[in-house]
Amino acid sequence: MDESPFWEKELETFPTEQLRALQLRRLRRVTELCERSPYYRQTFREANFESSQLKTLDDLRRIPFLTKEDLRASGPFNFLAVPQDEIVRVHSTSGTTGVATPIFHTGEDIEAWANLVARCMYMVGMRRSDVFQNTMGYGLFTGGLGFHYGAERVGAMTIPAGAGNSRRQIRLMQDFGTTCLHIIPSYALYLGTVFQEMGLNPAADTQLRLAFIGAEPHTERMRERIEELYGIKAYNSYGLTEMSGPGVAFECPEKQGMHLWEDSFVAEIVDPASGERVAEGEEGELVLTALHRRGMPLLRYRTRDLTAAIPGACACGRSHLRIARIKGRTDDMFVIKGVNVFPMQVEKVLLSILGVGSNYRIVLETVEMQDRMKLMVEVTGGLWKGDVQELSRLRDRLVEGLREEIMITPRVELVEPGSLPRSEGKAARVEDLRRNH
Ligand code: AMP
Ligand code: ZN
């Protein structure tokens, strides 16, 4: 590719000092705007803060954090910084952790968001000549329309396929010669099994070359599996509805973390318990301030997502902060027999072992007054039909691998391919059936 790999070269490669100056200018503007919203008028008053007092980026710390609970308790209209007439769109969170939260957008907000998503897609090589198929749900979920507008901004032919209907997804890929896919990682693995059922090979029988995978936590091994299965390059895409949706952070071709677009967000990484910033490179909860939103600007939003800043410059030339793959949400973690476990630790072990199929589920239950972790794992079709001894060897390897990684011994149940419940959106990995939970 001879042409520039940048969508907005100057902005993407801004020297850090200039980037900080831009952030400060934008932060002043957005806090001024916030003074028009009932929620922030009151919050600023209580914190003894006025936007005119914002002299450095560090002064941002004078503004209290905003939590999901604050958003819900106050109600979305209290966050509006513009007259309601100016709102042209509403999206809402998927409600994985409770009630869905609506987020309002002006026309300008939608434009700025589309531009960020376009920047991400362009960064990893999508161009006008590409055919982009969006397998994410359209509607209130941001993965559909968010990517749709971004792809059109790049100029690629966009297929708004929406979620589900797997055979039709595959037919669309073939009919239109889809080259780029936006797909939830757990669904990408499942779709692979549908290709097989149809007697097709996702690598040989499609034109696919790129996938943008995100919306749920997944391991490096999961990415590799998707890349192998489809014969493509897959890039991690991170975003959340409260910060508009996708387009917050995205992997560059170096695949050494995701660039978080600092012209549009201020990122802080804090200790989830104390709220204090962690040292550079340490893991903590990502806290985000949107610099580019007018309709419903949110400051210092506690995402509950765990990550770490990756120090040093990126070989791609982009100066924006890199963050590590999201380990999970602070509320994804479960405690069993006194041990803290993240579903991604389990996935890491599973996907490193041959014979493990495309889906798994962690069930926490109480058996004879004892808490127990049961792991239900789909195996590959070949293995299921094969030798019983091989299945038992696989079970032993899984138990051993898991004991090493999480230090408890789960019960492993190997199940038939396709037998575990599957969602069209984000995968639900954990089912907690324990008494007292
Ligand atoms: P929603 O706003 O309902 O689409 O959900 C956003 C949440 O999905 C984020 O806060 C993360 O917990 C999760 N998420 C989105 N993208 C990723 C990603 N690439 N890796 C891990 N988790 C993600
Ligand atoms: Zn980079």
Side-chain angles (χ1 to χ4, degrees):
M1 226 181 296
D2 300 335
E3 56 181 338
S4 161
F6 300 100
W7 178 248
E8 293 154 293
K9 179 157 193 226
E10 204 190 338
L11 206 50
E12 288 172 50
T13 58
F14 247 12
T16 307
E17 249 170 63
Q18 258 169 280
L19 198 51
R20 297 289 165 256
L22 175 72
Q23 284 187 309
L24 183 58
R25 279 200 306 280
R26 292 193 171 172
L27 189 60
R28 283 205 189 106
R29 203 180 57 191
V30 82
T31 43
E32 252 170 54
L33 199 61
C34 281
E35 283 169 342
R36 300 187 202 160
S37 84
Y39 178 86
Y40 278 112
R41 249 199 321 272
Q42 188 185 340
T43 305
F44 286 2
R45 199 181 315 120
E46 284 166 7
N48 241 326
F49 173 83
E50 278 175 28
S51 62
S52 57
Q53 297 165 351
L54 201 79
K55 301 286 183 246
T56 69
L57 278 173
D58 260 350
D59 293 336
L60 177 62
R61 295 200 224 193
R62 296 193 41 204
I63 302 171
F65 289 127
L66 174 70
T67 64
K68 217 172 237 303
E69 291 73 33
D70 297 329
L71 254 178
R72 269 180 212 147
S74 181
F77 292 99
N78 267 328
F79 287 86
L80 280 185
V82 297
Q84 211 177 316
D85 281 9
E86 287 188 40
I87 297 301
V88 301
R89 172 112 56 92
V90 60
H91 277 284
S92 119
T93 59
S94 21
T96 27
T97 58
V99 197
T101 312
I103 300 291
F104 298 116
H105 300 273
T106 65
E108 264 178 81
D109 292 342
I110 299 283
E111 289 281 309
W113 177 25
N115 184 63
L116 282 180
V117 176
R119 191 193 287 173
C120 297
M121 297 167 113
Y122 197 90
M123 169 165 74
V124 295
M126 193 178 94
R127 296 292 181 268
R128 304 170 56 83
S129 49
D130 277 299
V131 177
F132 168 70
Q133 185 166 329
N134 195 357
T135 70
M136 296 272 184
Y138 278 65
L140 288 164
F141 176 52
T142 55
L145 287 171
F147 260 84
H148 183 101
Y149 275 57
E152 287 189 352
R153 182 67 73 92
V154 171
M157 183 175 98
T158 301
I159 311 170
N165 209 337
S166 302
R167 284 176 179 253
R168 190 186 62 146
Q169 297 282 4
I170 293 169
R171 273 198 304 277
L172 287 171
M173 283 179 210
Q174 295 196 310
D175 288 350
F176 297 115
T178 302
T179 55
C180 304
L181 208 55
H182 181 209
I183 192 159
I184 294 185
S186 53
Y187 183 63
L189 284 197
Y190 169 74
L191 195 63
T193 65
V194 181
F195 269 99
Q196 270 176 355
E197 275 167 31
M198 293 169 75
L200 296 169
N201 173 346
D205 299 321
T206 66
Q207 312 281 317
L208 291 173
R209 60 183 200 91
L210 283 177
F212 317 121
I213 55 173
E216 67 182 13
H218 57 285
T219 54
E220 179 61 32
R221 190 64 200 115
M222 175 73 120
R223 180 243 293 282
E224 286 164 10
R225 269 214 177 190
I226 295 169
E227 291 190 325
E228 284 157 19
L229 178 66
Y230 289 85
I232 56 172
K233 289 206 157 87
Y235 296 96
N236 194 355
S237 158
Y238 169 76
L240 61 160
T241 312
E242 293 87 339
M243 293 290 123
S244 295
V248 175
F250 207 92
E251 259 175 339
C252 73
E254 301 295 325
K255 290 186 178 165
Q256 301 290 323
M258 299 183 279
H259 285 287
L260 189 146
W261 300 123
E262 291 186 280
D263 57 314
S264 303
F265 303 95
V266 176
E268 300 169 80
I269 299 180
V270 307
D271 178 327
S274 68
E276 294 297 319
R277 290 194 192 168
V278 300
E280 199 191 5
E282 270 178 34
E283 188 179 279
E285 178 183 349
L286 184 64
V287 175
L288 291 171
T289 295
L291 298 174
H292 62 305
R293 279 229 311 245
R294 293 188 63 250
M296 188 173 169
L298 301 180
L299 310 174
R300 305 196 83 201
Y301 183 68
R302 301 273 304 241
T303 63
R304 301 188 187 177
D305 293 324
L306 292 170
T307 184
I310 299 178
C314 185
C316 77
R318 290 175 184 84
S319 51
H320 297 237
L321 169 73
R322 281 176 303 161
I323 57 167
R325 178 179 293 287
I326 306 287
K327 179 179 176 189
R329 304 170 59 89
T330 48
D331 41 13
D332 273 350
M333 191 189 79
F334 57 86
V335 182
I336 181 124
K337 296 183 194 274
V339 181
N340 299 349
V341 182
F342 279 94
M344 285 307 104
Q345 291 176 282
V346 174
E347 181 176 299
K348 193 172 122 198
V349 174
L350 291 185
L351 297 190
S352 66
I353 295 175
L354 219 62
V356 169
S358 63
N359 203 356
Y360 67 93
R361 198 170 179 90
I362 300 165
V363 183
L364 308 174
E365 52 191 8
T366 311
V367 180
E368 290 167 2
M369 315 285 281
Q370 297 259 6
D371 284 353
R372 186 173 73 180
M373 174 176 161
K374 182 168 80 178
L375 196 61
M376 305 184 66
V377 183
E378 287 186 12
V379 298
T380 55
L383 200 63
W384 185 252
K385 292 190 202 99
D387 185 358
V388 193
Q389 281 194 337
E390 259 194 73
L391 280 176
S392 128
R393 273 197 293 276
L394 172 63
R395 190 180 311 111
D396 293 346
R397 269 201 299 275
L398 284 172
V399 170
E400 200 178 309
L402 287 158
R403 197 188 303 130
E404 252 171 53
E405 174 71 31
I406 58 178
M407 289 175 308
I408 54 170
T409 311
R411 205 182 114 162
V412 173
E413 234 172 72
L414 300 178
V415 301
E416 194 176 353
S419 61
L420 291 177
R422 219 174 41 76
S423 86
E424 276 185 0
K426 300 169 192 260
R429 299 299 195 190
V430 184
E431 195 177 357
D432 198 343
L433 305 173
R434 287 176 292 183
R435 236 174 275 153
N436 313 322
H437 276 269

